Amino acid sequence: MEPAPPAIGVFDSGIGGLSILREIQAQLPGEDLIYFADQAWVPYGSRPLEQVRERAVTVAADLIRRGAKLVVVACNSASAAALHHLRQVYPEVPFVGMEPAVKPAAEHSDRGVVGVLATAATFQGELYASVLDRHANGVEVHEVAAAELAMLVEDGRFTDAKEALRGLLQPLIAAGIDRLVLGCTHYSFLSDEIRAVMGPEVELVDPSAAVARQVGRVLAAKTQPGRNGQIAYLTTGDPARLGSQLAALFGIDAIVQPVELG
Ligand code: DGL
């Protein structure tokens, strides 16, 4: 039997990064993917950055040990805390991370007023500051840090999430934004609820497809054409729970392997 080609590792605190995984699978169907949900640690977004940084190194180390040729940090909070550090710790491994998509939002905003919805961790740290510095010139940016939303998505509580969004998004409606950046990968699964609250005038900016394109660019000629890639699902939490989440979100019946990281 041929040895398995190296895979792309994708990680998040939970199911949020599945929004990125789906895009990578659609754009690079020949690639084997390893999805790592660190559900024993979810949520990342309300933890101190140093703690998330250390944990991200542990998770990335596990993916690299499993043969990942590229690691996607499919989590804005972990990218804010650790992306720069991960590149220093593993200079030989390419990392693709997330940053709030202020650039396209600012470029396409007619009113010059945009909103960003993300976790507290994402707004801390240098990455977000540098995003504003580089891309928000002349544009008003209104931020809302959502503490509980990612967990409501993890728990499949979409009605409660919509209720929470009514309060959270009020300041952005009052500010008159016309673009809303989804600054946490879990929020892709709340697009309908967010649209229902914000109304049709406000466009949501979801970076999932752009992140997948970046993965393709980084791999360049090293992609695997003409084959069907496999996906392995791992969790530090309860495999049965991730299995039901995958069934509920995508209607797939996947085998989920437990991981112990200590
Ligand atoms: N999905 C993660 C992000 O993009 C955050 C969820 C969490 O707080 O763990 O920021």
Side-chain angles (χ1 to χ4, degrees), residues 12-13 16 42-46 74-77 119 122 150 183-186:
D12 181 34
S13 57
V42 66
Y44 281 174
S46 43
C75 173
N76 289 266
S77 309
T119 68
T122 294
C184 166
T185 50
H186 279 77

Side-chain angles (χ1 to χ4, degrees), residues 22 78 149 218 223:
R22 297 290 280 195
L149 269 186
V218 172
T223 52

Side-chain angles (χ1 to χ4, degrees), residues 132-151:
L132 288 187
D133 216 41
R134 281 177 283 139
H135 305 302
N137 299 328
V139 170
E140 251 181 64
V141 182
H142 295 264
E143 288 123 17
V144 169
E148 74 276 40
L149 269 186
M151 279 317 283

